Amino acid sequence: MTSLISRAGARFGALLPARADLTDMRRAPRRDLLAGLTVAIVALPLALGFGVSSGLGAEAGLATAVVAGTLAALFGGSNLQVSGPTGAMTVVLVPIVGAYGPSGVLTVGLMAGVMLVVLAALRAGKYMQYVPAPVVEGFTLGIACVIGLQQIPSALGVPKPEGDRVLVVTWRAVEEFARHPNWTAVGLAAAVAAVMLVGARLRPTVPFSILAVIAATVVAQLAGLDAAEPIGDLPFGLPAPSLGFLELDSLGTLLAPAVAVAALAALESLLSASVADGMTVGQRHDPDRELFGQGLANIAAPLFGGVPATGAIARTAVNVRTGAGSRLASLVHAAILAVIVFAAAPLVSRIPLAALAGVLLATAVRMVEVGSLRAMAGATRADALILVLTAVATLALDLVYAVIIGLAVAGVLALRAVAGQARFDQVPLDRGDHSVEEHALLAEHIVAYRIDGPLFFAAAHRFLLELTEVADVRVVILRMSRVSTMDATGALVVKDAVEKLTRRGILVLASGIRPGQHQVLDSVGALDLLRPDGRDYATTPEAIRGARDHLERAGVLPPGAAHQEQQAVPNPADSPEFREEPAP
């Protein structure tokens, strides 16, 4: 019991901040301060926009950016990650708000945070590497489409229609705009999006998002554009932490949404941290610690009225490009947003919703990497299929189902490719092992098959069909030294095939069975069938000698032929045709 507690303490200790984190923050503080300021300017309109899109309001987005951004920066596994509300999470939260209300979203965020901490303790971060690139690209493309469609009501200046399906809501918003057009909102949204997209090409280092939002707000105020609906009143500062939203009776009902939120938070955060690693030299994130930091961030954010948070790819990329080298930049970003919350709430409240919609529309467009999509679609038909299915499922269903579908299809296609590598070939007997007369006799009664590659559930049934169709012979030798892997299904198929051949009076011997495969074969009762005389044959020549003994006993060969042959010819083990080779 004491050792178990000690191991658990050591595991959690490895997830806590280290002295090296503080040392890193002292190396280039000015550079980190500048990077944090830049990221805060970029993050402000995004935090406001994603808060509004989630259904909990702009104040929820700001609370998340401040609280979650601080805790994830302190406890996360990446020195460069910037966390906060994201478009992907907003996509998941919209139906939760519709079904369970704001308190349900806060409860789901708290539960998801606990799940992330548990995943970190279980060291589950390493499994991110098993998500195929086409799934990630399709996932990102689908998210971009959903984020863009979510902004249509605000960009058109119409009230958000009822519903949680983005395609349905978008269509209803377009119908409402057709009845009551609001060209002021359309103009503001289009102008902000255009400034961001064009400006990013001309001057990538300039934060055009905040400049465009400020310009749109000034124009709306000076021109008295009543049709440009503003964000509305924002509270001064963060609310006091509270668990008043938590209803214990609803925890069971909210378990499934919480799992979805935790899965998305883990996936997006680890993906974002990997992107940050790829943009730098020498930076490597700790995936388990990153899950731990995101877990703490999502436990704390709901206490202050914030929505669930994840690592934000766009903000993290800005952080890296502006020279951040430590966690100080992310902490500065959160601190600046906190100052805005406490000091500039009245000014922020005047920002038109259409301007924020323009920011998110431009963000959605910039999420789509055309070059990556072309490369992925042109790689193989399987990759293109996975990408398209994941993107369509993201748009039509939800993000978690999309990832599950993408992973399932990728897994099936990968199994199909691996199964295609399995080979089952008949190999001739070597003439050098015996006289010409005996060779003809042996070839008539003995057949050898070599099994190459994996013998598992995806390839085993083809093996069964081919083996049981063997012509009339007395002995079948299975050369198994090149079987790379075997599962219970493969072992059962071997057993079934041997039993069928045995009922036909055919002896089955095996050579070169690997030690690790003995256990699998023995567990299903196939091992004893492959060694009817109680012997293991390490090589094929040994199995041939066993077959000769059987043929002698059956009267097919004259007595003593095998003994004479062993004295008359070289050792069959010297024959390259039957030398056992390990699987490649």
Side-chain angles (χ1 to χ4, degrees):
M1 184 65 177
T2 303
S3 61
L4 181 62
I5 295 175
S6 177
R7 287 198 301 268
R11 179 170 295 184
F12 274 104
L15 299 175
L16 296 176
R19 179 174 296 180
D21 299 332
L22 182 59
T23 303
D24 290 339
M25 288 191 286
R26 293 174 176 174
R27 289 178 180 171
R30 292 185 180 179
R31 190 176 59 185
D32 287 334
L33 288 171
L34 178 60
L37 174 62
T38 305
V39 175
I41 293 173
V42 173
L44 176 60
L46 293 176
L48 295 171
F50 289 136
V52 172
S53 296
S54 70
L56 270 69
E59 61 273 19
L62 285 174
T64 301
V66 173
V67 177
T70 301
L71 289 174
L74 286 173
F75 293 94
S78 171
N79 289 331
L80 306 175
Q81 179 93 287
V82 179
S83 299
T86 62
M89 187 60 72
T90 300
V91 173
V92 174
L93 296 180
V94 169
I96 298 177
V97 173
Y100 305 104
S103 63
V105 172
L106 300 180
T107 304
V108 163
L110 181 65
M111 295 171 66
V114 174
M115 292 177 188
L116 290 171
V117 171
V118 172
L119 289 176
L122 295 176
R123 302 186 183 276
K126 59 186 177 182
Y127 295 108
M128 172 62 193
Q129 62 184 319
Y130 297 112
V131 180
V135 174
V136 175
E137 292 293 339
F139 176 77
T140 305
L141 175 60
I143 288 173
C145 293
V146 174
I147 292 173
L149 291 174
Q150 282 182 339
Q151 309 316 310
I152 296 301
S154 295
L156 297 179
V158 300
K160 183 179 178 181
E162 295 293 330
D164 56 6
R165 293 296 178 186
V166 66
L167 292 173
V168 175
V169 171
T170 301
W171 179 253
R172 291 174 179 172
V174 172
E175 290 180 330
E176 179 63 23
F177 178 81
R179 289 191 294 267
H180 306 286
N182 184 342
W183 295 108
T184 299
V186 172
L188 287 176
V192 170
V195 168
M196 287 183 60
L197 294 174
V198 175
R201 288 184 173 274
L202 299 178
R203 297 289 181 86
T205 59
V206 177
F208 283 100
S209 59
I210 191 67
L211 296 179
V213 168
I214 292 174
T217 304
V218 171
V219 169
Q221 292 295 314
L222 294 180
L225 301 178
D226 295 334
E229 181 183 356
I231 291 177
D233 293 337
L234 293 175
F236 283 94
L238 297 175
S242 171
L243 280 173
F245 61 86
L246 187 61
E247 297 180 3
L248 298 180
D249 295 340
S250 63
L251 295 184
T253 306
L254 296 172
L255 180 60
V259 171
V261 169
L264 177 59
L267 176 66
E268 190 173 13
S269 298
L270 294 177
L271 174 62
S272 177
S274 298
V275 170
D277 290 347
M279 296 176 65
T280 60
V281 177
Q283 292 282 356
R284 287 294 177 267
H285 74 283
D286 182 335
D288 296 320
R289 188 176 166 190
E290 182 61 28
L291 292 178
F292 182 70
Q294 295 296 334
L296 295 182
N298 279 285
I299 289 174
L303 304 182
F304 295 89
V307 296
T310 75
I313 296 178
R315 276 156 276 180
T316 299
V318 171
N319 195 38
V320 175
R321 291 194 189 105
T322 50
S326 74
R327 300 165 187 270
L328 181 59
S330 299
L331 291 171
V332 169
H333 136 269
I336 292 174
L337 292 178
V339 170
I340 293 174
V341 169
F342 282 96
L347 297 178
V348 173
S349 65
R350 298 178 184 178
I351 296 175
L353 291 174
L356 294 180
V359 171
L360 299 187
L361 284 171
T363 301
V365 172
R366 292 170 63 179
M367 286 177 65
V368 180
E369 295 286 347
V370 178
S372 298
L373 292 177
R374 285 178 179 173
M376 205 64 60
T380 65
R381 286 185 295 178
D383 289 331
L385 175 63
I386 294 168
L387 188 152
V388 172
L389 280 179
T390 306
V392 171
T394 301
L395 187 60
L397 301 174
D398 64 47
L399 301 189
V400 176
Y401 281 125
V403 172
I404 292 173
I405 291 172
L407 289 176
V409 173
V412 170
L413 294 177
L415 285 174
R416 180 184 176 188
V418 172
Q421 298 174 0
R423 297 185 58 187
F424 180 66
D425 300 317
Q426 181 178 348
V427 291
L429 301 182
D430 192 335
R431 290 180 180 273
D433 289 345
H434 31 259
S435 65
V436 175
E437 294 79 6
E438 189 185 16
H439 173 78
L441 192 59
L442 289 176
E444 180 181 352
H445 297 291
I446 301 175
V447 63
Y449 287 95
R450 182 174 60 206
I451 308 172
D452 288 341
L455 186 59
F456 69 128
F457 68 92
H461 293 286
R462 178 162 55 89
F463 161 80
L464 173 63
L465 293 174
E466 293 185 25
L467 182 58
T468 53
E469 290 177 358
V470 64
D472 289 333
V473 293
R474 294 297 185 95
V475 181
V476 170
I477 297 175
L478 299 180
R479 300 178 58 184
M480 302 181 66
S481 63
R482 301 184 68 174
V483 176
S484 57
T485 186
M486 180 187 298
D487 66 357
T489 303
L492 284 170
V493 166
V494 170
K495 177 184 178 183
D496 194 11
V498 173
E499 288 177 339
K500 284 181 167 60
L501 293 176
T502 303
R503 285 196 292 268
R504 290 171 51 189
I506 299 174
L507 176 70
V508 180
L509 301 178
S511 66
I513 300 177
R514 295 184 175 189
Q517 296 164 6
H518 274 85
Q519 181 178 356
V520 181
L521 291 167
D522 191 40
S523 66
V524 299
L527 187 60
D528 290 338
L529 295 176
L530 291 172
R531 49 184 187 186
D533 52 2
R535 295 178 54 192
D536 279 323
Y537 297 104
T539 64
T540 300
E542 294 178 12
I544 291 177
R545 288 196 291 269
R548 285 171 172 167
D549 292 339
H550 171 74
L551 294 177
E552 287 181 4
R553 290 193 298 269
V556 178
L557 288 180
H563 176 70
Q564 296 171 7
E565 179 60 26
Q566 291 173 18
Q567 295 179 342
V569 300
N571 187 347
D574 295 331
S575 172
E577 176 65 26
F578 287 98
R579 189 175 297 128
E580 296 296 332
E581 300 176 358

